[in-house]
Amino acid sequence: MSESDLLSRIIPMFGVSAFAGQGVVVPPGDDAAVVTARDSVVVTTDSMVRGRDWRDDWSTGHDVGIKVVAQNVSDVAAMGAVPTGLLVSVAADPETSLDWVIDLTRGIAFGAEDARCPVVGGDLSSAPAGVVIVAVTAFGDLEGRSPVLRSGARPGDVVAVAGDLGWSGAGLRLYELGLVDTTPSRPARDHTDREKAVSVLQWYHRSPRPPWESGPVAADGGATSMIDISDGLVRDGGRIATASGVELALDEQALREHFLAGPIELALGAEDGWRQVLAGGEEHSLLATFPEGSVPVDERAPWTVIGRVVEAGPEGPRLTVGGAVPSVTGWDHFAG
Ligand SMILES: Nc1ncnc2c1ncn2[C@@H]1O[C@H](COP(=O)(O)OP(=O)(O)O)[C@@H](O)[C@H]1O
Ligand SMILES: Cc1ncc(C[n+]2csc(CCOP(=O)(O)OP(=O)(O)O)c2C)c(N)n1
Ligand SMILES: [Mg+2]
């Protein structure tokens, strides 16, 4: 199949016409898309690489599509913005099956629709044998809000998280332990049955649905800093601490109670599960700091208070859990 044939299959799947009038002036198909922007534009990019970010024996093309959109939309949300457009680039070994590419496209289209955000273009390229890379760029609109940076946390603020912690990392760990779940639809959150707990965690690893709507809610509520947790609570919380020059003093009891108890502890046990709560990557939940008393009340995706911001001590900016620096560090692509 030629590149143009493939594009003529892919582009209609994004149904951009559904978004006509919502900022898309020229849809995919020309040299570039044209979108309207009212204000400063939030822009971010994140890619996934076969073998590094997913394995074909665990994840379908559809899963990869949902996940790459989620990663990007949560980065937009972590600035306090709503997503307004996506660009999708795929570089694939020509042996990659058409079915896989179509499945990927369906997953991207599903994620984009869920985020109410049109795919406005992209690129197709071939890659050496075995290589498949999916790269997404997302645009966002602050709708008049000031961007929420990593650097605004102040002593006296509370630290809160929207979404779960450790689910994706626990799901990955369960795959690594040899459990293979292929539940076709999203399983219910289960706190009593181990098999169902395994299934819900592996499902979240394959196709996360972080609470990205909470990003703008946090910004409106006066969040002083925010980040999406892609490399684990400890590493990403540490980034807020460093950028803000403060200590994030997290409450071990609150973390264990809200995030370890339940599916993670049931599926992995307390020790391994706790590591995932602290250091599991790819969760894409939002971590933010708020002035005391202004944590937003959002029933759809509640913010859970997990600690406080305090003045950095002699050790400098850092993140502590129960008063100590955790021994786990989180994900780093190049640390080996
Ligand atoms: N190759 C690159 N060139 C320029 N900037 C980059 C590159 N890779 C990452 N960055 C920037 O570095 C910052 C941190 O990137 P990353 O750790 O990927 O953040 P995130 O977890 O939010 O995706 C971001 O502002 C990102 O835009
Ligand atoms: C096969 C496989 N091995 C390991 C992982 C785990 N993993 C890959 S990337 C990542 C962290 C986040 O990825 P990155 O691309 O750095 O996101 P960013 O920080 O840029 O948002 C993790 C935990 C995985 N998903 N699949
Ligand atoms: Mg990134």
Side-chain angles (χ1 to χ4, degrees):
M1 179 178 263
S2 73
E3 194 182 325
S4 344
D5 288 342
L6 189 50
L7 281 179
S8 65
R9 292 281 303 271
I10 288 176
I11 291 176
M13 291 173 63
F14 291 130
V16 162
S17 56
F19 292 93
Q22 289 184 45
V24 182
V25 181
V26 177
D30 218 299
D31 293 311
V34 178
V35 297
T36 51
R38 280 176 292 183
D39 199 351
S40 44
V41 173
V42 174
V43 62
T44 182
T45 188
D46 249 313
S47 51
M48 290 183 68
V49 177
R50 173 151 83 182
R52 302 286 173 159
D53 297 301
W54 85 85
R55 275 176 46 169
D56 286 339
D57 49 341
W58 299 341
S59 298
T60 63
H62 197 271
D63 294 331
V64 173
I66 288 182
K67 189 161 173 173
V68 74
V69 170
Q71 288 176 350
N72 279 276
V73 169
S74 57
D75 272 329
V76 168
M79 300 303 289
V82 296
T84 53
L86 301 173
L87 295 172
V88 177
S89 295
V90 180
D93 173 353
E95 294 298 314
T96 311
S97 77
L98 174 65
D99 283 354
W100 190 89
V101 177
I102 297 297
D103 200 31
L104 169 77
T105 306
R106 281 205 190 98
I108 291 172
F110 178 90
E113 202 182 317
D114 188 23
R116 310 217 38 74
C117 170
V119 175
V120 295
D123 187 40
L124 277 179
S125 188
S126 63
V131 174
V132 180
I133 301 172
V134 185
V136 166
T137 296
F139 298 91
D141 184 355
L142 285 159
E143 302 175 318
R145 299 174 198 97
S146 297
V148 185
L149 310 185
R150 298 174 180 187
S151 52
R154 292 294 168 257
D157 287 351
V158 295
V159 182
V161 66
D164 283 298
L165 289 173
W167 279 43
S168 180
L172 175 62
R173 181 86 188 108
L174 291 159
Y175 275 118
E176 287 169 351
L177 291 171
L179 284 91
V180 173
D181 170 71
T182 49
T183 314
S185 59
R186 176 180 178 158
R189 172 188 277 264
D190 198 287
H191 294 250
T192 51
D193 178 320
R194 179 167 189 269
E195 224 166 274
K196 287 188 186 143
V198 168
S199 172
V200 80
L201 295 168
Q202 293 194 323
W203 163 82
Y204 191 87
H205 175 73
R206 296 195 304 273
S207 52
R209 178 36 170 108
W212 51 62
E213 294 90 343
S214 302
V217 172
D220 289 336
T224 51
S225 72
M226 185 152 53
I227 193 168
D228 92 295
I229 300 174
S230 56
D231 297 329
L233 173 66
V234 167
R235 189 173 291 278
D236 288 318
R239 289 180 170 134
I240 288 188
T242 302
S244 301
V246 296
E247 175 170 328
L248 258 55
L250 303 188
D251 177 343
E252 178 167 351
Q253 255 338 92
L255 285 168
R256 286 186 182 273
E257 206 173 289
H258 287 286
F259 300 106
L260 175 62
I264 294 186
E265 188 166 16
L266 200 55
L268 276 180
E271 200 180 324
D272 204 357
W274 181 233
R275 264 195 293 276
Q276 299 308 330
V277 169
L278 294 181
E282 300 176 289
E283 195 74 13
H284 303 293
S285 293
L286 298 173
L287 178 69
T289 55
F290 298 91
E292 173 93 65
S294 61
V295 178
V297 178
D298 184 346
E299 272 167 28
R300 197 181 37 187
W303 285 89
T304 307
V305 172
I306 59 167
R308 294 200 150 269
V309 180
V310 299
E311 299 268 3
E315 302 85 353
R318 60 180 191 159
L319 177 144
T320 56
V321 178
V325 174
S327 56
V328 288
T329 52
W331 182 263
D332 185 320
H333 274 296
F334 297 101

